[in-house]
């Protein structure tokens, strides 16, 4: 019998913020407050990701793969300055990619994070 799929719906119709299935957690994170600047939005998005992982029985030490979408790739060094201390020691580093993308809200959202993690 396959394991059940558990979903945590987003506040917007048609999507979930977090889904778990088969011992894996799939999560998306952004800054719900759309703070000013990439450093602030990265800090808030990572806190949001921490909460999504926790609700599904995981944490950042169990991340397997992360894709970070930036509204502007010139912001990558500032984003990395927040990411690197947050992710911690090399034993916790997931496979990660960073891409420039039109996030589609007129430039208010500077970062969106898509992650896959193992459940604890």
């Amino acid at each position: 019998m396959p394991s059940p799929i558990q979903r945590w719906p987003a506040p917007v119709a048609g999507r979930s913020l977090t889904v778990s299935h088969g011992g894996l957690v799939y999560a998306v994170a952004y800054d719900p407050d759309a703070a000013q600047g990439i450093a602030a939005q990265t800090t808030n998005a990572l806190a949001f990701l921490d909460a999504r992982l926790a609700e599904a029985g995981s944490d950042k030490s169990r991340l397997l793969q992360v894709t970070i979408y930036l509204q502007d790739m010139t912001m990558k060094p500032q984003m990395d300055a927040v990411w690197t201390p947050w992710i911690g020691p090399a034993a916790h580093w997931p496979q990660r990619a960073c891409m420039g993308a039109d996030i589609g809200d007129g430039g208010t959202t500077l970062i969106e994070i898509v992650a896959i993690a193992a459940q604890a």
Side-chain angles (χ1 to χ4, degrees):
M1 176 180 217
S3 62
I5 298 171
Q6 189 170 3
R7 302 174 198 275
W8 291 264
V12 178
R15 54 190 109 156
S16 293
L17 290 173
T18 313
V19 174
S20 69
H21 175 69
L24 295 176
V25 175
Y26 305 85
V28 64
Y30 55 91
D31 177 1
D33 300 324
Q36 290 295 319
I38 190 61
Q41 282 203 21
T42 301
T43 298
N44 294 345
L46 292 173
F48 195 78
L49 180 59
D50 279 330
R52 302 295 65 79
L53 294 171
E55 73 188 356
S58 189
D59 62 57
K60 66 184 172 186
S61 73
R62 301 186 62 77
L63 285 168
L64 303 172
Q65 191 276 328
V66 174
T67 303
I68 298 175
Y69 298 92
L70 294 175
Q71 184 72 27
D72 179 349
M73 282 299 289
T74 65
M75 298 177 190
K76 187 176 182 292
Q78 297 144 307
M79 180 277 299
D80 277 332
V82 177
W83 166 272
T84 302
W86 175 82
I87 197 61
H92 298 170
W93 295 353
Q95 177 278 321
R96 192 193 92 176
C98 191
M99 300 174 57
D102 179 356
I103 297 175
D105 68 351
T108 304
T109 300
L110 303 177
I111 184 171
E112 189 165 284
I113 302 169
V114 177
I116 301 171
Q119 285 181 305

